[in-house]
Amino acid sequence: MKQLVLRGVRGGIGATSLLAGLGIALHEQGERVLLVDLSPDNMLRLHFNVDVAHAAGWARAQLKAAPWHETALELLPDLHLLPYGELGGAEISRIEGQLCADSTCWAHRCGLVAHNYDWVLFDLPQRLPGHRAVVSEANRADVLIDLATPDPGCHVLLQQRPRPDADLLLINRFNPASQLQRDLLMLWRSQPKSNRQPHLIHEDEALPEALAHKLPIGHYAPKSLAASDLRSLALWCLAQRAKC
Amino acid sequence: MESLVLSSQQDDVDNLKRHLGMPKFGYQDISASLALDKAVQRWPLLSELSVVAHLNSALDSVSLENTSAAVASRRPA
Amino acid sequence: MPNPLSYYQYIRYRRGASPIAALSWLIAYMAAWLLLRLDAPGWQWVMAERRRLYPHVAGKRPTAGDPLRIVIQSIWLLVARAPRSAPARSLGDRLRSTWQRLRSIAQQLPRPPRLRRRRPFDLPGLRNAEARVGRAERWLSSLSKPVRYAFNIAIGALAILLGILCITEPFGYTAQVTFVLLLWGLALLVRRIPGRFAVLMLIVLSAIISCRYLWWRYTATLHWDSYFDLACGITLLVAETYSWIVLILGYVQTCWPLDRKPAPLPEDSGSWPSVDLFIPTYNEDLSVVRTTVLAALGLDWPRDKLNVYICDDGRRDSFKQFAEEVGVGYIVRPDNKHAKAGNLNHALTVTHSELIAIFDCDHIPVRSFLQVTTGWFLRDPKLALVQTPHHFFSPDPFERNLGSFRRKPNEGELFYGLVQNGNDMWNASFFCGSCAVLRRDAVESIGGFAVETVTEDAHTALRLHRAGWNSAYLGTPQAAGLATESLSAHIGQRIRWARGMAQIFRTDNPLLGPGLTIFQRLCYANAMLHFLAGLPRLIYLTAPLAFLLLHAYIIYAPALMIVLYVLPHMIHASLTSARMQGEYRHSFWGEVYETVLAWYIARPTTVALFNPGKGKFNVTAKGGLIDHDQFDWRIARPYLVLAALNVAGLGFAVWRLFTGPASEIGTVLVSSAWVIYNLLIIGAAVAVASEVRQIRRAHRVMAQLPASLKLANGHAYPCTLLDFAEGGAGLQIPPGLKVEMDQPVSLILQRGDRSFMFPGQASRQIGERLGIRLDNLDLAQQIDLVQCTFARADVWLNRHQDFETDRPLHSFIEVLRIGGRGYHRLYEQLPSVLSTPLRPFLRLAAWLLSYCPRTPASKSLVTPS
């Protein structure tokens, strides 16, 4: 079982959509996948046609001291989703406090389900360090992918070298018509000493449309370029697992 | 693995090297490095950041050398 | 029990057969039903595959002869070529399983790994040949030097003596038959051994047989009693001697191709030499020159060390403007003296770089051109020239009119694939005028490019070699261009080359004069002799007529003896060349190429040989269009005359058969066979003369590249780039995707790890194929587009992948078939006054041909159960 995290260098760059798409792409390759929503926004479920009103989730269960794993939803055989659950601001802080106190919480939980899944994919919030324990130096996930869009803001943030080092730099919404984007991509590719070889997801209208249809991209528009890019990302993940 | 294979075949110079049977043929992608220079010069933010990045990497390499030297000195002769 | 009446009615009324045809089918059906077990799986499979196995019977209206056709085809399928994917069947199955058993036994025998890789089914005894040779070599090198020397001399002397004996010893019928069969068997065995030893062995065998033939011709076949016979005989003998010389020189030239690899450049690009890139032009369209210049601008070479110049002898404003716009140099001169050579010489006076790269204006370099070619200049300070092949991405007239484009190696393939590679072994690669890099010092040391002849390139190279400079040839195509469009333009170009070569042969003969090694002389001599092939070819095309029409004994020997000498000579030569050249020219295609040119180069070369000053430079026209199918009567005329003569010869042959003395029957038959062969080769020449329509101005280059398509609504799709041209591309798009015509789309292409996006318009969609126009690009985008397509480093590397493999017999039949097609096209072009009386004969021929067995398609239409 491998843990995989998509770490956006900033918010709003499509990390949740891509994680949903990657989950589907890995599942298409015959992998057993668990998607875990660690973000209080509780958005990941919306990519899989879960009702907006569906309030259950692992965090809510944890607050009620109920078994967390019973909130998991089976989307397809061997493709499972663990939503966060609808929580208020104070409740989120309580969860954050618990997670900070027990930073190996999710590592431990992964250990419990290790024999059921090949991949556990985490969707992270932008802040809340307790929720982000899976990207801390101590508990780093097996596969860590940095996500950026080719814009100057991300460039500035990438220069600060988020720690720990990621295995791959994933670039979302790449539009080769833009001079600036091409230039930035070239610059990122040329970065010496960086083992984060950039991988592209092209800008594709099918991605936002997929969310509007409450479907992951691989199901909404399987022939689209974005879906094809995600499939090749899934293949990279499999190759990466073979390496480690 | 299809698309991974494809992406490795996309590089025309790699294909040429394979065709020649000279995988170590030292090819310099001059047009790419030229385009890179232009890219950095085109945007003031990028050129400023690249100066900083160069400094950082220079510092890194110095500290790396120091540590490796330290490791070497610790090793018994 | 089937119902005969309903079967008859089915054939008669549902399939529309005549009563006799229906009856014949019925009888065949009943016979098959009585004799064969039709419900067995094997027969069921045959039924399911009938369209593939019996292509000439399936799907047409049943006729009375069909059962016979089916029987003939079945025998052919069983005996000659068992279809590969066939499952168990009665007789063929048993034959095949025996064969497979033999093969599996053979595969289990031990063999050295190198042989196993190259050719899976060798005869067991020959498998260890290479290992044995290696052992012998080791033993030889273990001897002391004088002993080895003496041993070599002794072996050499023995070989020469044996050779002389084999060549000069007159044999009777039995001895000659034995000798010929022995050598032939040896050649057939040796042919299957991989490696160069086998090639050398084949060459030796072929040389012995050919020398023996020529010796016999000189000593035993001239009719000294009749002056007329003697004159005809000697004419033919001279032509044959010419062919013999070309054959032997060709063996020397290509026996050991060098296959040179590029030399890497030093890592520091500051130490790389500076390069001036000249693009000479005279009257070509700007659109043609444009792509070349855009590609040259993207060459991977330090910008401060590369200067691109358009050398415009047309002095056109549009070119000057274009040069300024893209930032390349523009060179003009006051006069047009000495055409291209003069143009280049003038450019030399106003530029300064160490190296000069030359591209004809329609040859597009790929971006790696300079890094691949220049390394050798740094390694060898005496190197003056690096030549690369001229590759063409449009079909030449032969390929277009014979439909062989991308299936068979074209005319130039032999020269650039093998001859230049062989020349390189002897330090004798020629300069071919384009796609080459030269050292400025070297060119200036010989006084610039040679201007005395109309082929300045070969003459310049000859002078460089004379002055002690070296040359190199790299066989990797690093540039490509347009082939000549029409047959007349193609012939015009060859006339110029032939004339120029003849001029050099007269004014600066490579066999004489200082500075060349013996092998350089031979290579140059062969190149020049090659262009003198016109007259000998015409002699071959008419020689049998001397006997049939005029009753002259041109070869004064019994017919059987002639066969016993000529056939082995031809068979060995073609076996050897199939082994040496098979990849670059298919057997017998050379005959077609030569025959088409023969008439046209015969006169200019002869004139140039006697008067080298005559003849002016004519520019090769390129980029023209042929807007409808047409028959080039002007070009075909000499071949029609030759064909008529040969037909008359056939008539005489029939007359002589019936009225002539019985002792001449053999000679008449041999001559008739020769005439028929000549007729078919002439037919192939006629087939080339019927020009196929050509409407596209920009030639599409086939490709298989990953690409993406983005529509105006923001949706993007992965696709495959199938072809590209100036200002257009063809894509394979995902199934089910509909693209509105004329809507703006964007094409995303990659090169290396960079992506580029080009705005365009959807122009047409057929199923999953989408054509897009890319004609509104700005300059930077145009350069990027050329860099992503024509100038990719790997774009011309897989040009051989669709070539069929050469099989001499197959190739022979194909050339003959092309000959037949030539006459058919000619018949279609004839006015009805002439064609109507011919019609019955044609019908008869077509009817007889319909009984001929066919080769089934190799791919099975249904999977065997």
Side-chain angles (χ1 to χ4, degrees), chain C residues 275-280 289-290 292-299 301-303 305-311 322-324 326-331 351 353 357 359 365 370:
Chain C
V275 180
D276 287 325
L277 191 148
F278 296 148
I279 304 171
V289 184
R290 203 180 165 83
T292 307
V293 173
L294 296 184
L297 284 172
L299 282 170
W301 200 254
R303 285 295 170 273
K305 285 173 177 284
L306 174 65
N307 308 299
V308 179
Y309 297 99
I310 302 176
C311 307
F322 170 67
E324 274 167 18
V326 297
V328 302
Y330 180 72
I331 300 177
T351 53
S353 295
F359 285 95
L370 286 175

Side-chain angles (χ1 to χ4, degrees), chain C residues 159-173:
Chain C
I160 289 174
L161 276 177
L162 259 177
I164 291 176
L165 190 72
C166 287
I167 290 165
T168 57
E169 179 65 23
F171 284 154
Y173 286 107

Side-chain angles (χ1 to χ4, degrees), chain C residues 8-271:
Chain C
Y8 177 85
Q9 280 172 338
Y10 166 75
I11 293 287
R12 174 84 178 86
Y13 299 108
R14 294 282 291 282
R15 304 275 307 271
S18 67
I20 299 171
L23 201 63
S24 135
W25 272 74
L26 177 64
I27 292 168
Y29 177 62
M30 295 306 289
W33 188 81
L34 284 172
L35 299 175
L36 308 170
R37 213 155 51 83
L38 290 182
D39 51 350
W43 287 112
Q44 290 295 319
W45 176 81
V46 172
M47 281 305 285
E49 288 266 14
R50 61 184 184 278
R51 277 182 184 282
R52 181 171 79 90
L53 298 176
Y54 304 93
H56 53 317
V57 180
K60 78 172 180 78
R61 200 164 63 94
T63 51
D66 286 343
L68 184 56
R69 287 190 188 100
I70 292 172
V71 169
I72 294 175
Q73 175 81 358
S74 303
I75 293 170
W76 163 256
L77 287 176
L78 284 179
V79 174
R81 41 181 73 246
R84 250 163 254 148
S85 55
R89 274 192 307 162
S90 49
L91 174 66
D93 175 48
R94 227 169 301 142
L95 281 174
R96 214 168 20 255
S97 64
T98 319
W99 166 234
Q100 272 160 358
R101 216 171 311 133
L102 284 176
R103 236 162 43 176
S104 67
I105 292 167
Q107 274 166 353
Q108 282 157 12
L109 293 168
R111 70 183 86 160
R114 270 190 71 190
L115 297 187
R116 196 178 311 154
R117 197 181 62 237
R118 288 287 295 275
R119 189 177 278 274
F121 317 122
D122 280 313
L123 291 164
L126 290 170
R127 277 187 206 118
N128 294 319
E130 200 148 290
R132 271 181 213 152
V133 170
R135 236 175 294 146
E137 265 172 22
R138 252 171 281 136
W139 172 77
L140 202 59
S141 57
S142 70
L143 296 174
S144 71
K145 212 173 178 188
V147 176
R148 201 165 54 204
Y149 214 64
F151 182 78
N152 280 341
I153 289 180
I155 292 272
L158 191 68
I160 289 174
L161 276 177
L162 259 177
I164 291 176
L165 190 72
C166 287
I167 290 165
T168 57
E169 179 65 23
F171 284 154
Y173 286 107
T174 335
Q176 173 72 7
V177 167
T178 319
F179 179 72
V180 159
L181 284 181
L182 263 177
L183 261 62
W184 185 52
L186 197 55
L188 286 186
L189 285 180
V190 168
R191 193 166 72 119
R192 301 196 161 264
I193 304 178
R196 289 190 170 169
F197 165 75
V199 174
L200 294 180
M201 190 68 200
L202 281 174
I203 290 176
V204 168
L205 291 176
S206 170
I208 287 177
I209 285 279
S210 295
C211 292
R212 179 169 174 78
Y213 169 70
L214 205 72
W215 179 265
W216 172 76
R217 288 280 283 119
Y218 271 98
T219 53
T221 62
L222 289 175
H223 191 210
W224 294 93
D225 300 341
S226 150
Y227 285 122
F228 182 65
D229 290 9
L230 190 63
C232 291
I234 286 184
T235 312
L236 180 60
L237 195 48
V238 167
E240 283 184 284
T241 310
Y242 161 86
S243 300
W244 177 82
I245 293 174
V246 168
L247 183 77
I248 301 292
L249 285 183
Y251 286 156
V252 172
Q253 201 173 15
T254 58
C255 64
W256 205 273
L258 189 56
D259 289 330
R260 188 190 288 260
K261 300 245 179 219
L265 287 159
E267 217 162 275
D268 170 27
S269 65
S271 61

Side-chain angles (χ1 to χ4, degrees), chain C residues 245-246 248-254 419 423 426 428 430 462 505 509-512 516-530:
Chain C
I245 293 174
V246 168
I248 301 292
L249 285 183
Y251 286 156
V252 172
Q253 201 173 15
T254 58
V419 174
N423 284 343
W426 310 118
F430 309 144
L462 177 62
F505 199 71
N509 194 316
L511 292 172
L512 313 169
L516 298 177
T517 67
I518 174 77
F519 286 110
Q520 285 176 328
R521 290 180 202 279
L522 293 182
C523 290
Y524 272 103
N526 193 29
M528 282 157 203
L529 282 179
H530 172 78

